[in-house]
Amino acid sequence: MTIEEIEKELSYYKSYHEITNESFKMICPNEISYKNFAIKYYCKNQFKYNIKIGKICQLNEEKYYNKLMEYSLQKMMPYPYHLIDIGFFNSINHSDKLNPPKYYAQLIKKLLNEGLPFDRLPAFTARDVFRFLGVSRNQFTEIANRYKSEKRKLLSRKFPLNFEVKQPNCQPWWIIRTYSNNNEGKLTTTEKSIKECLDKEIYLSNVFIIIPVEEKDSFIPIIHDNIIITRTTKMEYIYYRILLLIDDRLTIKDLMSILIDPNDPLILQKKEEIIKAISYLVRLNRLNKVEIRDIQCNGIIPTPRINQQTKKRVCFIVDEAIVSTLMTGITKTDDIKRIVVHLFETGRLTNDQVYALICLIELLKTQPCAKDSRAHYKKFFNVANSLVNIIKSLQQLICNEEVFGLCDGIEIIKMECLKYLTEKEKENYRMKYTSALIGSNSKIISCQHTPFCPQLIPHSVFSSYLFTIFLNYSYNSGISTLILPKGSFLQSLPNQFHQFNFILSTTFTHRQDIVSTSNALLFLNETLKSQPIIIHGLQFNKPHYENIIFPIEFSQSPLKKHPIIQKLSSDLTLSKFVGKIVLINTTENDFDLNKFDNWEFFDIVFGIPMDCYDENQQCVNALPSLLIENSKEEMWETSSDIVQVFFQFLSKNGFDYNSLNNQYILKEDILLYPSQPILFEKKNIN
């Protein structure tokens, strides 16, 4: 029985005697072990106290909330704002963790006492710490250094005077709840909106800020000035899922329909979890409420706008390499960096944010700093200009209903963040978009074919490194190549590689290194501990590459007439897709593009190139005709014959053909990682 199954039983608030699952009772053989498991589960999820929880955990309200606060502090969880009521206030009234500033001061003290870095804080907890105490990574490092050097605690057991508690920004529709004793000594509460309060009232110790969220409300994600990137815990996935999905055209009710199965027996509990998460994101200034005001005109009050999604948007998917390049920035690009860091963290830019980013990049081109830095920051400008180029082209194309149908904008999604969504959520998520295109600097092996079905890209198996070696075999073209599965251990290099002076290694996360053959063994074995690797034999340590864009009629390279390019274009029907074929020249200095014999097939990459503006422009020129002429279904059928031949090749190298074929027919995601070594060596044909 898995932990998830046990927690599902606990979510129904069953007592130990109501459990009928024998597997469960093997893990929790008695009521005491069940109680301890239940306390941990309810504290981990920061559930509000009720009679059933009290009965299962054998705790009264005060003891339960104190245990919950201790657990939250131990696991560095955010302050449980959603629990604030009279019972919670009474339970921890005498605790030094009563309000958020005191709670987060205790959290900083915990890090100092245990010698932990600031990055150990979960991402959203770190943001709340900064919001109240103004402590980020740099400030914490200074405090920790002083703490170590002075050999004493910087924080007293009372309220930490070392911190100047900041006054968080509030929005006028928030509510303040004041706790006070009436004439009979009984604790009571009063509530009023923040816009009716004086500043000094908001930050009293007996006052808590409440953020009301209703299912009819709509919110939009906003870019925050102080983004702190630390580790992400599984419990924070709900925040990222919301930030990926939420839209000013969706109400919270619409969002819930995407995130929750209507037949889920825990639907009410999950709705509360979403409301809690949205309220917390609003508190962190990551979401803004969409205000719909009734405007009185000539005595007639119009019907409020209903947030119905009548138009879709184009989804432009980029990989992390592109985002990281833009994050590096250059001098005086803080505004650009702020938007890109938001994309890196949340995984999405809305239509307005995309427009703002493009305008800032365009403005940067006119600045003197850009002209002075262009040579030094060539990589940044290539990616930035390519992004502007593709977005501008798409903005023109969305006006043509023949291309994208009813469409009113473009959003950018970071490919790696799609992992936060479940398969069902992805299927619903796809309904927000009329089309998806991919921009990539490297192989898109993490791109899942469904549910986005990105246009101009064949099946995702074509993006596997195994597909490249399949093409090596099929066309007997390429340099000596060996694919090694994760966990392999080499006692010596294969005999085929002894003739080479250097080894070019490529990991399945796209990292490339060139090492001398004499030093390669230690490097390769260390890398193989964590991931598969592809190695190529080289005589010289500076091979030359040439990229040929497809459709090849749009390529400007003389090598587009190379026989291998012509064969690949014809056999793979590359006239329907976008991407590039990479040829390699391993000679010492003869890089003539007209000498085809010196050039061998090296790789094929699908997606719009983003690391070279000229290549990007060549692909963008092909977009209008490709998007109009080729439907996704046609492209799927085009690649099906090649996929079957590829699967037959894989079946000879440790894969189950029937399993692969079933996944393909059902249009499921297929991630291909080698299970045994695969060697390619070009045959000499007389």
Side-chain angles (χ1 to χ4, degrees):
M1 193 173 193
T2 64
I3 297 295
E4 289 76 14
E5 290 172 327
I6 296 173
E7 292 183 344
K8 188 174 182 179
E9 293 285 345
L10 287 166
S11 62
Y12 294 122
Y13 301 114
K14 291 182 179 179
S15 67
Y16 182 73
H17 300 292
E18 293 174 315
I19 300 294
T20 57
N21 191 316
E22 293 300 323
S23 299
F24 189 104
K25 291 195 173 183
M26 289 178 65
I27 298 173
C28 299
N30 53 54
E31 195 167 356
I32 295 176
S33 61
Y34 179 70
K35 179 192 74 171
N36 293 333
F37 207 107
I39 291 173
K40 181 180 178 181
Y41 169 72
Y42 295 129
C43 289
K44 181 178 75 172
N45 290 279
Q46 295 183 328
F47 281 5
K48 182 170 285 191
Y49 182 85
N50 58 41
I51 295 174
K52 291 182 179 179
I53 287 180
K55 184 178 179 181
I56 295 171
C57 298
Q58 299 175 14
L59 296 172
N60 61 27
E61 190 171 29
E62 181 176 349
K63 289 182 179 179
Y64 170 75
Y65 278 133
N66 277 283
K67 276 190 174 293
L68 185 148
M69 294 300 285
E70 289 173 7
Y71 184 90
S72 298
L73 186 64
Q74 179 189 356
K75 298 298 182 181
M76 306 181 197
M77 297 169 67
Y79 188 84
Y81 299 99
H82 61 287
L83 298 179
I84 296 171
D85 59 12
I86 289 179
F88 180 77
F89 189 89
N90 266 332
S91 299
I92 61 172
N93 195 24
H94 304 293
S95 169
D96 59 358
K97 300 181 284 292
L98 172 61
N99 58 27
K102 291 182 180 180
Y103 174 82
Y104 288 126
Q106 290 292 317
L107 199 51
I108 294 296
K109 183 178 180 180
K110 169 184 168 64
L111 293 179
L112 292 173
N113 287 340
E114 296 180 11
L116 299 174
F118 187 81
D119 287 348
R120 284 298 299 273
L121 288 177
F124 286 91
T125 303
R127 292 176 188 85
D128 221 10
V129 168
F130 180 80
R131 193 168 67 98
F132 277 106
L133 305 181
V135 176
S136 61
R137 186 181 291 104
N138 292 340
Q139 289 84 355
F140 179 82
T141 302
E142 293 176 8
I143 295 172
N145 289 338
R146 294 206 317 269
Y147 179 83
K148 292 176 183 177
S149 63
E150 296 175 12
K151 301 294 183 182
R152 62 185 178 84
K153 295 180 180 178
L154 294 177
L155 306 178
S156 66
R157 294 187 179 276
K158 299 180 180 179
F159 186 79
L161 299 177
N162 307 72
F163 298 119
E164 180 181 350
V165 178
K166 298 173 66 177
Q167 297 183 353
N169 296 325
C170 300
Q171 298 183 29
W173 57 276
W174 295 3
I175 292 173
I176 67 164
R177 180 182 293 166
T178 305
Y179 291 85
S180 58
N181 292 318
N182 59 16
N183 295 333
E184 300 175 357
K186 187 177 180 180
L187 190 65
T188 60
T189 64
T190 57
E191 292 184 356
K192 57 182 176 180
S193 66
I194 282 184
K195 62 184 177 183
E196 299 172 356
C197 303
L198 300 174
D199 285 346
K200 63 180 182 180
E201 293 182 77
I202 298 175
Y203 303 106
L204 297 174
S205 60
N206 64 329
V207 169
F208 284 88
I209 296 174
I210 306 299
I211 299 177
V213 175
E214 299 179 6
E215 290 189 10
K216 65 180 181 180
D217 294 336
S218 295
F219 294 86
I220 54 173
I222 58 174
I223 296 172
H224 198 269
D225 288 330
N226 298 303
I227 293 180
I228 301 171
I229 299 176
T230 58
R231 69 188 180 101
T232 300
T233 63
K234 191 173 182 179
M235 291 189 65
E236 293 180 315
Y237 281 9
I238 182 64
Y239 303 128
Y240 291 106
R241 289 157 66 199
I242 289 171
L243 290 171
L244 271 173
L245 293 164
I246 205 159
D247 196 300
D248 59 328
R249 300 172 297 176
L250 294 177
T251 63
I252 301 305
K253 186 176 181 179
D254 297 330
L255 182 68
M256 289 174 174
S257 68
I258 296 176
L259 290 172
I260 305 174
D261 185 341
N263 299 318
D264 193 327
L266 300 175
I267 186 170
L268 294 178
Q269 183 177 309
K270 291 185 177 180
K271 282 185 176 181
E272 289 179 4
E273 182 184 7
I274 291 172
I275 293 289
K276 176 184 77 173
I278 290 173
S279 176
Y280 185 58
L281 289 170
V282 172
R283 194 180 294 271
L284 291 179
N285 294 318
R286 306 315 305 273
L287 294 177
N288 260 353
K289 188 176 181 180
V290 178
E291 295 288 348
I292 304 175
R293 297 184 177 89
D294 290 342
I295 303 173
Q296 188 166 355
C297 181
N298 297 326
I300 300 174
I301 300 178
T303 304
R305 175 177 63 87
I306 299 175
N307 284 339
Q308 291 183 339
Q309 191 173 356
T310 57
K311 292 185 178 181
K312 297 184 179 183
R313 290 178 178 168
V314 175
C315 174
F316 185 55
I317 306 175
V318 297
D319 61 10
E320 196 169 275
I322 294 171
V323 182
S324 299
T325 300
L326 291 173
M327 279 175 62
T328 58
I330 65 171
T331 308
K332 299 182 181 179
T333 58
D334 289 345
D335 288 338
I336 293 176
K337 194 178 297 186
R338 187 168 65 94
I339 297 176
V340 178
V341 169
H342 174 81
L343 171 60
F344 179 85
E345 181 209 26
T346 64
R348 172 178 170 230
L349 292 181
T350 62
N351 182 56
D352 292 340
Q353 292 164 352
V354 170
Y355 181 74
L357 176 61
I358 298 307
C359 289
L360 287 170
I361 293 174
E362 289 278 74
L363 182 62
L364 175 64
K365 295 179 185 178
T366 65
Q367 302 299 316
C369 65
K371 297 175 183 178
D372 298 339
S373 307
R374 192 170 296 276
H376 186 64
Y377 294 98
K378 182 178 179 181
K379 188 175 181 181
F380 169 83
F381 280 107
N382 266 327
V383 172
N385 291 334
S386 295
L387 184 64
V388 171
N389 190 36
I390 183 65
I391 296 299
K392 280 189 168 183
S393 300
L394 291 176
Q395 285 174 335
Q396 294 176 358
L397 289 172
I398 62 176
C399 300
N400 185 347
E401 290 188 14
E402 189 179 0
V403 179
F404 292 128
L406 289 175
C407 181
D408 67 349
I410 302 162
E411 295 190 355
I412 296 179
I413 303 294
K414 191 178 79 165
M415 186 185 301
E416 288 76 9
C417 285
L418 297 177
K419 68 181 181 181
Y420 297 127
L421 301 177
T422 65
E423 291 305 315
K424 181 65 176 176
E425 290 165 0
K426 287 177 186 174
E427 196 63 43
N428 292 329
Y429 188 38
R430 181 178 180 270
M431 303 307 294
K432 287 166 56 69
Y433 299 105
T434 179
S435 178
L437 300 175
I438 287 183
S440 180
N441 283 352
S442 52
K443 278 188 173 291
I444 48 176
I445 58 171
S446 61
C447 173
Q448 297 168 321
H449 182 76
T450 56
F452 290 95
C453 296
Q455 287 187 272
L456 313 182
I457 301 289
H459 194 279
S460 59
V461 296
F462 281 29
S463 293
S464 167
Y465 284 109
L466 296 179
F467 185 70
T468 300
I469 201 168
F470 161 70
L471 295 179
N472 289 138
Y473 269 102
S474 300
Y475 297 97
N476 192 37
S477 178
I479 57 178
S480 295
T481 303
L482 175 65
I483 294 185
L484 294 167
K486 175 184 174 182
S488 301
F489 183 82
L490 296 175
Q491 293 184 339
S492 63
L493 287 175
N495 294 333
Q496 292 86 343
F497 290 87
H498 289 168
Q499 59 180 306
F500 299 109
N501 297 322
F502 297 93
I503 295 293
L504 168 63
S505 72
T506 306
T507 68
F508 268 49
T509 53
H510 321 307
R511 176 183 169 182
Q512 282 195 342
D513 296 279
I514 295 180
V515 293
S516 65
T517 307
S518 57
N519 297 327
L521 209 56
L522 180 62
F523 171 80
L524 294 176
N525 283 330
E526 189 63 30
T527 306
L528 284 166
K529 291 179 181 178
S530 58
Q531 58 187 308
I533 195 170
I534 306 102
I535 64 174
H536 308 276
L538 300 175
Q539 290 294 355
F540 307 100
N541 65 348
K542 291 184 179 180
H544 194 75
Y545 303 97
E546 179 70 10
N547 297 333
I548 296 87
I549 297 302
F550 55 83
I552 60 172
E553 57 264 31
F554 291 91
S555 175
Q556 298 173 2
S557 172
L559 282 175
K560 69 180 182 180
K561 297 180 180 179
H562 194 294
I564 188 66
I565 300 296
Q566 295 293 320
K567 289 180 182 178
L568 285 170
S569 179
S570 174
D571 295 348
L572 301 181
T573 324
L574 296 182
S575 59
K576 294 181 178 291
F577 307 115
V578 292
K580 61 185 178 183
I581 300 170
V582 184
L583 299 186
I584 187 171
N585 186 324
T586 58
T587 61
E588 187 171 10
N589 50 27
D590 189 0
F591 303 137
D592 190 341
L593 297 179
N594 294 306
K595 293 183 178 180
F596 294 165
D597 291 343
N598 291 341
W599 297 88
E600 296 283 354
F601 172 74
F602 184 72
D603 202 359
I604 185 168
V605 180
F606 290 91
I608 302 170
M610 299 294 291
D611 51 356
C612 175
Y613 179 77
D614 291 337
E615 294 173 4
N616 178 270
Q617 182 61 54
Q618 292 167 40
C619 278
V620 167
N621 290 339
L623 287 183
S625 58
L626 289 177
L627 289 170
I628 292 174
E629 294 172 6
N630 303 319
S631 69
K632 186 63 196 178
E633 290 71 22
E634 289 173 347
M635 289 189 281
W636 180 281
E637 294 301 324
T638 297
S639 59
S640 60
D641 292 340
I642 303 296
V643 170
Q644 295 303 317
V645 179
F646 177 43
F647 286 170
Q648 291 172 11
F649 168 79
L650 292 178
S651 66
K652 299 175 183 177
N653 291 278
F655 288 86
D656 184 343
Y657 175 84
N658 292 328
S659 175
L660 290 172
N661 198 42
N662 289 337
Q663 287 179 285
Y664 176 72
I665 292 172
L666 296 173
K667 297 188 178 182
E668 295 178 351
D669 302 325
I670 304 176
L671 296 178
L672 300 176
Y673 289 93
S675 58
Q676 64 185 43
I678 304 175
L679 174 67
F680 166 75
E681 192 171 17
K682 185 177 180 179
K683 298 177 181 177
N684 292 321
I685 301 176
N686 296 326

